[in-house]
Amino acid sequence: MRYVRPRLEFVPQRLSLGVVRASHWVLPFLLRVRTRPWLPAGIARIEAVNAEGLVKLYQRFQAGEVRFLMAFRHPEVDDPMSLMYLFSRILPGVARRQKIALQLPLHTHFLYDRGMPLWAGNWLEWLFSRLGGMPIHRGRALDWTAIRAARELFANGSMPITIAPEGATNGHSEIVSPLEPGVAQLGFWCVDDLRRAQRSQEVLIVPIGVQYRYPKPPWAQLDRLMGRLEADCGLPPAPPFDPRARDGFEEALYARLLRLAERLLDTMEKFYSRFNHRPLEELSPKIADLTGDPHPQLALRLQALLDVALRTAERHFGIASTGEIAERCRKLEEAGWIDTYREDLLALGRLSRLEQDLADWVAQAAILPVKHMRLVESFVAVTGSYVRERPTAERFAETTLILFDLVSRIKGEKNPRRPRLGWRQARISVGEPISVTERWSVYHTSRSAARQAVQRLTGDLQQALEKLID
């Protein structure tokens, strides 16, 4: 984005059952193409736990008895295709076996990040709108246009609605990021809308867990990927991987991961100190707590470094360094969009050449601060102990791929395609529905009670999603 653009307009959903049916029909082919059939990689199997419960909810929804929203875990970019497979293949099969007649196709409305079509292309905007999707402007405190559209569909749409309450992918199948309160608030608004319309349907929120596993641990592929990252970081090559000598291999791989993390932290700390022309202790007070220890804990160093990167970007836009990391990232994304998609320049063609060039300067200047934010964005859920607690192939892979994202972004690769390490299995778990209607008596008593009810429902949903992790 080196040139200023007109304001970002809201893209209304234009659900087309023809497009939905076509997407369901080509899904197996798309999965094969996406997973590169000539390579031993991709999603080999998608299974569902408690799919029967979701089939019964669809039956009650189509009978006009309930309205429900599915709040799903969002660890990977493959999640939408996994969920589409659930709706198009697994649920209809379960319904047939149980002799439950459902109106097909089974599908949902959904919210997606407004920024997705900006990097994927306008075709995605067209497709998502025809699949019943609505964009939400995450960086805005309240995107009322998207909120009103979602509220209308939740109460009156012909299909349920699906939302990722974490707000974005976190790259971890076994960590649930802090949830945003929007899902809970939408639930209470739906109860309110139904009561105003004198409708008695129950409002439910259904937690959906999404998790990925490697049926065959991809140790050799991880060895090669780490070798690429080590070469990019200037580290000497590790001893060659011997698949026959499995004893102690996990320990050796973990030692390499630690060495790689140390090199990346050292390099990035030196970069930010030099880039900002100030000692790190001045850039982030957290750094001062780490001095004097030759081997400080990686998690503390990482959090301090993320704080430095965000402060660097926030200083450019004049934003206060307050809030959690995810919240600060959203504010910076919005600031970058404000300077690139200018709402104050409604008619760009009417600008003088000088005004146009100056507006382009502003858009260009926003690129680097947003890059700092993108580096941080991938590390929101990284704890520093994720692999050590359970050194499984999945946790090794997730952490190494996050490091791959970091190195690729620094190398200037736009939307780097992650390497496929091996065949994976997706496990989709349907949790017990949470009744929002039963909580209405507390919610509507006062504003403070409403805030507490939203917080309590958000917390209960967080726990429900965490319980779905296998």
Side-chain angles (χ1 to χ4, degrees):
M1 293 297 180
R2 297 187 178 275
Y3 303 99
V4 69
R5 299 287 195 276
R7 62 179 294 173
L8 285 172
E9 301 291 346
F10 178 75
V11 183
Q13 68 87 20
R14 297 182 175 89
L15 178 64
S16 168
L17 292 182
V19 174
V20 171
R21 290 190 177 94
S23 299
H24 288 183
W25 184 76
V26 303
L27 180 62
F29 171 76
L30 292 177
L31 286 171
R32 287 195 297 269
V33 171
R34 181 175 176 79
T35 58
R36 305 177 189 178
W38 58 90
L39 293 177
I43 300 178
R45 181 186 177 193
I46 300 175
E47 62 178 4
V49 178
N50 192 28
E52 297 82 1
L54 193 53
V55 166
K56 292 177 181 178
L57 280 178
Y58 264 98
Q59 183 184 34
R60 295 182 63 196
F61 181 92
Q62 293 180 357
E65 298 175 4
V66 299
R67 309 291 300 181
F68 70 91
L69 178 154
M70 286 174 279
F72 72 98
R73 279 251 33 233
H74 199 7
E76 301 286 352
V77 295
D78 294 321
D79 302 337
M81 297 188 74
S82 297
L83 290 173
M84 183 176 285
Y85 188 88
L86 170 71
F87 300 133
S88 65
R89 296 296 190 279
I90 297 178
L91 295 186
V94 172
R96 285 193 298 270
R97 289 192 296 272
Q98 293 189 338
K99 298 182 179 179
I100 296 177
L102 294 178
Q103 298 175 15
L104 300 179
L106 295 185
H107 191 60
T108 72
H109 291 285
F110 58 95
L111 293 183
Y112 65 92
D113 175 21
R114 183 62 180 88
M116 291 182 65
L118 303 182
W119 56 260
N122 291 334
W123 68 270
L124 191 66
E125 182 179 296
W126 182 94
L127 178 63
F128 277 1
S129 67
R130 268 66 182 182
L131 290 176
M134 298 163 295
I136 187 163
H137 209 133
R138 294 186 305 173
R140 290 179 176 171
L142 289 173
D143 185 354
W144 283 113
T145 303
I147 290 172
R148 282 192 291 267
R151 183 171 178 173
E152 168 64 22
L153 283 177
F154 196 179
N156 303 305
S158 61
M159 297 177 175
I161 188 169
T162 304
I163 300 178
E166 292 166 284
T169 60
N170 71 2
H172 292 72
S173 279
E174 299 179 50
I175 293 180
V176 181
S177 296
L179 305 188
E180 298 179 1
V183 166
Q185 184 61 74
L186 274 176
F188 285 115
W189 280 337
C190 185
V191 176
D192 185 37
D193 292 340
L194 295 179
R195 287 180 176 269
R196 290 175 184 274
Q198 297 183 351
R199 292 160 57 187
S200 59
Q201 293 137 307
E202 185 178 14
V203 177
L204 304 171
I205 294 178
V206 185
I208 305 287
V210 182
Q211 205 167 348
Y212 297 94
R213 288 282 185 266
Y214 291 93
K216 182 180 178 181
W219 298 121
Q221 294 88 334
L222 276 170
D223 173 72
R224 289 193 293 269
L225 177 56
M226 280 198 182
R228 288 172 53 187
L229 296 175
E230 289 164 345
D232 285 333
C233 295
L235 289 170
F241 168 66
D242 184 358
R244 295 169 298 180
R246 288 301 311 278
D247 292 340
F249 175 69
E250 288 87 347
E251 291 79 3
L253 196 64
Y254 184 64
R256 291 176 65 185
L257 188 61
L258 286 178
R259 183 180 68 152
L260 185 59
E262 285 275 3
R263 174 57 65 91
L264 285 168
L265 284 171
D266 289 341
T267 303
M268 297 305 296
E269 287 168 352
K270 291 175 182 177
F271 165 75
Y272 278 107
S273 181
R274 175 68 180 86
F275 176 79
N276 288 279
H277 306 284
R278 285 191 294 168
L280 284 179
E281 289 80 357
E282 294 182 12
L283 297 172
S284 174
K286 301 175 184 178
I287 292 287
D289 298 333
L290 304 177
T291 56
D293 186 348
H295 299 290
Q297 296 181 20
L298 290 180
L300 296 178
R301 288 180 67 187
L302 175 62
Q303 292 303 309
L305 181 62
L306 299 184
D307 180 65
V308 170
L310 290 178
R311 287 175 183 267
T312 300
E314 288 161 346
R315 186 171 66 250
H316 172 85
F317 292 116
I319 297 175
S321 301
T322 58
E324 299 296 328
I325 287 180
E327 179 185 356
R328 292 166 70 183
C329 285
R330 297 288 71 77
K331 290 179 181 179
L332 286 168
E333 181 179 56
E334 176 64 11
W337 285 8
I338 288 174
D339 283 358
T340 304
Y341 300 93
R342 298 284 295 274
E343 297 192 6
D344 58 328
L345 302 177
L346 299 180
L348 294 178
R350 298 180 182 176
L351 299 179
S352 68
R353 177 60 186 272
L354 179 60
E355 291 172 322
Q356 177 74 50
D357 290 341
L358 289 175
D360 290 341
W361 276 22
V362 174
Q364 293 167 15
I367 294 175
L368 185 57
V370 172
K371 282 187 175 181
H372 293 295
M373 183 274 293
R374 294 299 181 200
L375 293 182
V376 174
E377 196 173 36
S378 298
F379 287 81
V380 169
V382 174
T383 64
S385 60
Y386 186 60
V387 177
R388 187 177 67 248
E389 292 171 350
R390 284 186 62 193
T392 62
E394 289 76 21
R395 295 196 177 196
F396 269 113
E398 290 169 1
T399 303
T400 307
L401 287 171
I402 288 175
L403 297 182
F404 168 83
D405 291 341
L406 169 67
V407 173
S408 298
R409 290 182 188 276
I410 293 175
K411 290 164 64 176
E413 298 180 15
K414 182 182 179 181
N415 306 323
R417 189 183 183 101
R418 281 183 161 191
R420 300 288 181 175
L421 300 179
W423 291 112
R424 293 182 299 163
Q425 294 179 350
R427 182 178 186 269
I428 303 175
S429 304
V430 180
E432 291 299 319
I434 301 173
S435 175
V436 185
T437 304
E438 291 179 357
R439 301 166 184 247
W440 174 256
S441 60
V442 175
Y443 173 87
H444 83 285
T445 56
S446 66
R447 289 187 177 181
S448 62
R451 286 192 296 269
Q452 292 176 6
V454 169
Q455 293 173 359
R456 189 174 298 111
L457 178 53
T458 302
D460 291 345
L461 179 58
Q462 175 104 26
Q463 293 179 11
L465 289 172
E466 290 171 349
K467 289 179 181 178
L468 294 176
I469 296 175
D470 182 21

